[in-house]
Amino acid sequence: MSLALQALRRSRPLVGFLPHSSPLSTSASPPDAHELLRIDRILTNPAAAGGGSLPSQSQQHPRAATDLHQLLRRAAGLTAAESASLLRRLPGAQPHPRLGRLLQELAGLGLHRGEVKAALASDQEGLLSMDPGEPSRLLDLLRDLRCREAVRDRILAHGALRAAVAARRRVELLHARGLSRHDALRVLAAEPRTMLYSPEDVERKLEFLVETMGFEVGWLVQYPEFLGVNLDRCIIPRHNVVEHLKSVGGLGDPVEMKHYVRLTRRRFYNMFVKPYPECERIFGGLVRERDEMARRRHPTGLWKLFKPAKHERTQEDVQNMKSLVGSLK
């Protein structure tokens, strides 16, 4: 058998040209090269013959596992026991090479180890499921947020990396609803308040937009404000008013997406609610109450406190005034 394998190795460059020149040819049929290669693998690896179990992938790639432990220590400051526990919880027998590139990127971002460790503790699956390059893009997005300082502080309250993981969750949620990831990032950049709402709240808004209001998800690229307002206090009352006006034939022109998100509460009230008194109960009636409170700036009778005090005139004051007037003549 070994002689046959040696002959096969010597003759492999010529197999394509001399199919009948093998030294093992004892009959008219040539030897099967694939069969000889299979035998060679069996001789060099006895477990492949079925007599033993194959070594695990972690045993085949001990250096890869060691590198992951080192990267976890560099990026997040994990101990050997913590990194081993984390790797055991990952799906699959062997971590994908993508994970190594992701950890290298995290280690090179210059983030504090405690921030990376906190992000792993908060949402391990969300962080480690990122593709290489995603953390950098999301962190760049968070650095250039165009919003009020109060909103920015709430988004970054637990660290930039945890905010990046939260943004990525919402990008994937929008992508699952039909938006491309590029458009989803545009929506988040235009309306950062989306990251202040939980994924469940964002999912509820998307369901209401598509299934109840009848709009497509693509409208969010043009009107991202829909995801940044309160659904129960802003969108649902306006939708109820519009549906009532549709049922009674009170709408001449179709209501567009801008009427739900771009009009202030007062403008929407003046356009759709004020001409129809029955809609005030549907809308809430808060605008009219605020107008009445604005008219009554002060309680009744308060003006008397601002009336200047009267001084009694004495005879001496009258004489002084007459003297002054006489001197001017």
Side-chain angles (χ1 to χ4, degrees):
M1 184 66 68
S2 60
L3 293 176
L5 292 172
Q6 293 175 5
L8 175 63
R9 295 191 181 97
R10 290 195 300 268
S11 61
R12 282 184 68 180
L14 301 176
V15 168
F17 302 97
L18 300 174
H20 299 287
S21 60
S22 174
L24 295 177
S25 298
T26 57
S27 61
S29 60
D32 189 355
H34 296 287
E35 181 66 15
L36 293 176
L37 290 176
R38 188 184 70 83
I39 297 173
D40 186 21
R41 287 195 297 269
I42 293 175
L43 291 175
T44 56
N45 187 8
S53 60
L54 288 172
S56 64
Q57 294 183 359
S58 59
Q59 293 174 353
Q60 291 178 2
H61 304 281
R63 180 175 177 79
T66 304
D67 292 342
L68 288 178
H69 285 287
Q70 295 176 354
L71 289 172
L72 285 171
R73 185 175 69 252
R74 284 177 50 199
L78 298 185
T79 63
E82 290 173 339
S83 60
S85 176
L86 184 146
L87 293 176
R88 280 196 301 268
R89 293 195 300 269
L90 293 178
Q94 176 70 18
H96 196 273
R98 172 196 59 80
L99 181 59
R101 298 194 299 271
L102 176 65
L103 292 176
Q104 288 179 353
E105 180 181 358
L106 292 176
L109 288 176
L111 298 174
H112 192 271
R113 290 181 177 182
E115 184 176 350
V116 181
K117 188 174 183 178
L120 284 172
S122 174
D123 191 355
Q124 173 184 317
E125 180 184 358
L127 178 59
L128 298 184
S129 62
M130 289 186 180
D131 292 326
E134 275 190 296
S136 301
R137 290 194 298 269
L138 291 172
L139 289 174
D140 290 340
L141 172 69
L142 295 173
R143 293 190 188 99
D144 298 332
L145 286 180
R146 297 180 180 180
C147 59
R148 294 180 290 117
E149 287 296 329
V151 176
R152 182 194 300 271
D153 293 341
R154 289 181 60 188
I155 292 174
L156 302 177
H158 301 289
L161 188 59
R162 287 183 62 176
V165 176
R168 200 251 186 180
R169 287 286 192 186
R170 285 143 186 82
V171 167
E172 293 301 318
L173 195 154
L174 293 172
H175 177 65
R177 279 286 182 169
L179 282 183
S180 65
R181 289 185 173 87
H182 177 72
D183 287 340
L185 284 173
R186 289 176 56 190
V187 171
L188 287 186
E191 188 50 77
R193 290 180 297 175
T194 307
M195 288 178 277
L196 298 179
Y197 291 94
S198 65
E200 292 77 14
D201 289 337
V202 177
E203 179 69 24
R204 181 167 170 256
K205 290 181 180 180
L206 294 175
E207 290 180 358
F208 191 84
L209 175 69
V210 176
E211 300 176 5
T212 305
M213 300 177 66
F215 289 98
E216 296 181 357
V217 180
W219 281 101
L220 293 175
V221 179
Q222 187 175 357
Y223 299 101
E225 300 94 332
F226 182 85
L227 296 178
V229 297
N230 190 283
L231 181 65
D232 296 317
R233 290 184 296 180
C234 182
I235 301 299
I236 292 181
R238 299 187 183 196
H239 175 72
N240 293 338
V241 169
V242 171
E243 289 299 311
H244 173 75
L245 294 179
K246 285 181 180 179
S247 64
V248 299
L251 291 178
D253 298 328
V255 179
E256 302 178 2
M257 187 74 171
K258 63 181 180 181
H259 296 111
Y260 291 100
V261 297
R262 295 281 172 87
L263 295 182
T264 63
R265 184 175 177 83
R266 181 175 297 278
R267 286 194 62 188
F268 186 90
Y269 175 84
N270 291 334
M271 289 181 62
F272 296 97
V273 181
K274 192 173 183 179
Y276 308 94
E278 69 274 12
C279 291
E280 292 191 7
R281 180 182 56 83
I282 302 174
F283 192 64
L286 296 179
V287 176
R288 183 178 294 274
E289 293 175 6
R290 288 174 182 172
D291 289 342
E292 293 177 357
M293 292 179 62
R295 296 191 193 101
R296 299 192 302 266
R297 291 181 178 272
H298 305 291
T300 304
L302 189 62
W303 62 273
K304 295 181 179 180
L305 299 178
F306 298 97
K307 191 175 181 180
K310 291 184 178 180
H311 299 280
E312 295 182 359
R313 295 180 181 180
T314 63
Q315 188 64 26
E316 183 180 359
D317 293 334
V318 174
Q319 292 297 330
N320 292 335
M321 183 63 66
K322 288 181 178 181
S323 303
L324 178 62
V325 173
S327 62
L328 293 176
K329 292 181 179 179

